[in-house]
Amino acid sequence: MSVREIDRFLQQWKMDAKDLHRRLILAPTPRERERWHAIWLLAQGWTASATAEALERDPHTIGRWAGAFAEGGPKALIFEQTGGSPPPSVRKTKRS
């Protein structure tokens, strides 16, 4: 994904590089921070391959995150836990 494309998506979602950086810093989970970091690097002109190498991810993963952001905006980068046991507080509630 080119810088021009990222810029277009940022305009679409009424964001700029400062907004990306703010989201990167304030993301509530490490996985969301990683996703915002990837989008921020792409907006700085990094290629998907260079971004993937820096973040130790597959370039296809970076492409999926960028595509999700392009299509769904900031909400698309929210991390949702899947699988595994629910937290203890949820398990207690279900037993009651």
Side-chain angles (χ1 to χ4, degrees):
M1 186 164 289
S2 71
V3 174
R4 189 173 292 152
E5 289 173 303
I6 291 290
D7 284 343
R8 190 175 72 232
F9 299 133
L10 289 175
Q11 287 176 359
Q12 175 185 342
W13 298 109
K14 296 177 176 56
M15 298 179 76
D16 60 20
K18 288 181 184 179
D19 294 319
L20 292 178
H21 194 254
R22 194 173 307 112
R23 299 258 184 161
L24 161 61
I25 292 169
L26 299 175
T29 68
R31 290 191 180 181
E32 283 184 46
R33 280 191 293 279
E34 181 181 39
R35 293 170 186 185
W36 283 110
H37 195 182
I39 301 301
W40 183 77
L41 290 174
L42 293 170
Q44 301 304 307
W46 288 46
T47 64
S49 294
T51 299
E53 186 174 334
L55 298 179
E56 298 180 350
R57 289 290 187 165
D58 187 274
H60 291 100
T61 300
I62 302 303
R64 280 196 312 274
W65 293 343
F69 176 73
E71 189 173 309
K75 290 181 181 180
L77 299 183
I78 293 173
F79 173 71
E80 294 183 17
Q81 181 68 40
T82 58
S85 298
S89 60
V90 174
R91 278 186 258 146
K92 287 179 185 175
T93 303
K94 288 188 176 185
R95 289 182 187 164
S96 302

